[in-house]
Amino acid sequence: MSSTLKGSIMVVVAGIAWGISGVSGQYLMSHGIPINLLTSLRLFISGLVLTALILLTQRQRFFQALKSKHLWLGVILFSFFGLLLNQYAYLSAIHYTNAGTATVLQYMTPVLIVVAFCLKDRSLPTIGDSLAIFLAVLGTYIIATHGQVTNLAITPKGLFWGILSAFTYALYILIPAKLIKEWGSLIVIGLGMMISGIFFPIAVKAWQYPFSLTWGNGLALFGIVGVGTIFAYTVFLKGTTIIGAVKGSLLASVEPVASVIFGILIMHEHFYLIDLVGMTLIMLAVFLISYKDLIAEKRATIKKV
């Protein structure tokens, strides 16, 4: 097996694992686990495991990072405005809609990033970017209304949290970008999860919420934390080091498809044809932006050669 094929398979597996994570969260909330408790467990356990992984693999660099005031400021901002807000918004979107719809709405993030950079640079989007923005807006409109302007096909809360999860996911990507280049993604994300994983449970008094540890709940908790966070993150990180971040992001777009399929198989969700049309339009928008970046990356490589 070539290294490129191996890396591609790893990224696709990570995307499927993220799909499992969303459905696992939906299962837990449908079985009485509050969002505050679920967010607390996901952040704290994931932060604990990732921090342990850092100590095992990058101990010296980790202690160097702890001495950097610049790193601490950036990680704290990332922890609260990227990780915590995104996790909470995404789980809330799942609670008020379902895993498939929430994941697709969150995947509007690349389009939002394009718009943000256009505003920052005071430049107009390219034809391809304009088409992607149009497709994303049209897809969201179709999912939200089923084509009927006066009626919402999903609850207003579901639409609000879904769009907020896309905005916060953009912050999740943009805030730590420079820090990750300097210190590596494992240290930045591990520290970020540990900070929010300690702060948020204390803030919401997570221990006051009941948690019934049945076989189903235990398996779903392993799905959202073990499979969908720790495993998916490490496998995606390894895969993208082989094939590159742009191609990795493109292949990871299998996540919404996986969420929809697992939602149908496990949660017995019902999706209408028009829902799938809206989801397809949003994924086409993501593909357009990712494909454009992939072509640009290849051209840059050719010029270097």
Side-chain angles (χ1 to χ4, degrees):
M1 184 186 294
S2 69
S3 60
T4 301
L5 179 58
K6 182 180 178 181
S8 298
I9 291 173
M10 292 174 76
V11 170
V12 170
V13 169
I16 294 171
W18 279 323
I20 292 173
S21 172
V23 175
S24 297
Q26 183 178 346
Y27 178 90
L28 287 166
M29 287 184 286
S30 69
H31 285 74
I33 308 300
I35 294 174
N36 284 349
L37 177 60
L38 185 54
T39 304
S40 299
L41 288 171
R42 186 177 190 181
L43 290 170
F44 179 73
I45 297 174
S46 299
L48 200 63
V49 173
L50 289 176
T51 302
L53 185 61
I54 295 168
L55 290 172
L56 288 172
T57 60
Q58 303 180 37
R59 177 184 292 267
Q60 186 175 354
R61 187 161 177 76
F62 176 65
F63 286 114
Q64 287 177 347
L66 294 181
K67 297 176 184 178
S68 171
K69 293 181 181 179
H70 175 68
L71 173 71
W72 274 109
L73 177 61
V75 166
I76 288 171
L77 289 173
F78 166 62
S79 179
F80 291 118
F81 295 102
L83 271 170
L84 177 55
L85 276 178
N86 179 247
Q87 295 286 340
Y88 191 87
Y90 178 58
L91 288 174
S92 297
I94 292 174
H95 176 69
Y96 290 110
T97 58
N98 54 65
T101 302
T103 304
V104 171
L105 289 174
Q106 181 171 260
Y107 259 71
M108 290 194 302
T109 296
V111 177
L112 295 176
I113 291 175
V114 167
V115 173
F117 276 106
C118 286
L119 292 174
K120 178 186 174 184
D121 299 334
R122 296 182 181 179
S123 61
L124 294 174
T126 64
I127 294 174
D129 289 340
S130 298
L131 179 59
I133 293 168
F134 172 75
L135 290 173
V137 172
L138 180 61
T140 306
Y141 166 78
I142 289 174
I143 291 173
T145 66
H146 283 184
Q148 299 180 3
V149 182
T150 56
N151 294 314
L152 279 177
I154 60 176
T155 65
K157 288 183 178 179
L159 183 60
F160 168 78
W161 286 112
I163 293 175
L164 183 61
S165 73
F167 274 100
T168 53
Y169 191 51
L171 295 177
Y172 172 90
I173 293 170
L174 295 173
I175 291 175
K178 291 182 179 179
L179 291 176
I180 287 174
K181 286 181 180 179
E182 184 178 356
W183 296 101
S185 54
L186 188 60
I187 288 176
V188 174
I189 294 176
L191 271 176
M193 281 194 173
M194 197 70 257
I195 291 169
S196 54
I198 293 173
F199 169 80
F200 188 70
I202 294 174
V204 300
K205 298 180 180 178
W207 54 86
Q208 69 182 339
Y209 297 102
F211 180 78
S212 177
L213 190 57
T214 63
W215 279 105
N217 285 352
L219 189 61
L221 186 62
F222 176 73
I224 193 172
V225 177
V227 176
T229 304
I230 299 167
F231 170 79
Y233 164 72
T234 52
V235 172
F236 179 77
L237 180 63
K238 181 64 176 176
T240 51
T241 58
I242 298 173
I243 63 174
V246 175
K247 189 176 181 182
S249 299
L250 182 58
L251 291 175
S253 296
V254 71
E255 180 190 352
V257 180
S259 290
V260 171
I261 293 173
F262 287 131
I264 293 171
L265 294 177
I266 298 173
M267 300 303 296
H268 307 293
E269 290 289 344
H270 296 285
F271 290 94
Y272 297 98
L273 179 60
I274 196 165
D275 289 320
L276 299 179
V277 170
M279 292 177 181
T280 302
L281 290 174
I282 291 175
M283 295 315 300
L284 275 174
V286 174
F287 178 82
L288 275 174
I289 292 171
S290 301
Y291 184 73
K292 181 200 71 173
D293 291 340
L294 184 60
I295 295 299
E297 185 181 65
K298 285 184 177 179
R299 287 175 178 171
T301 305
I302 291 170
K303 285 183 179 179
K304 286 180 182 179
V305 174

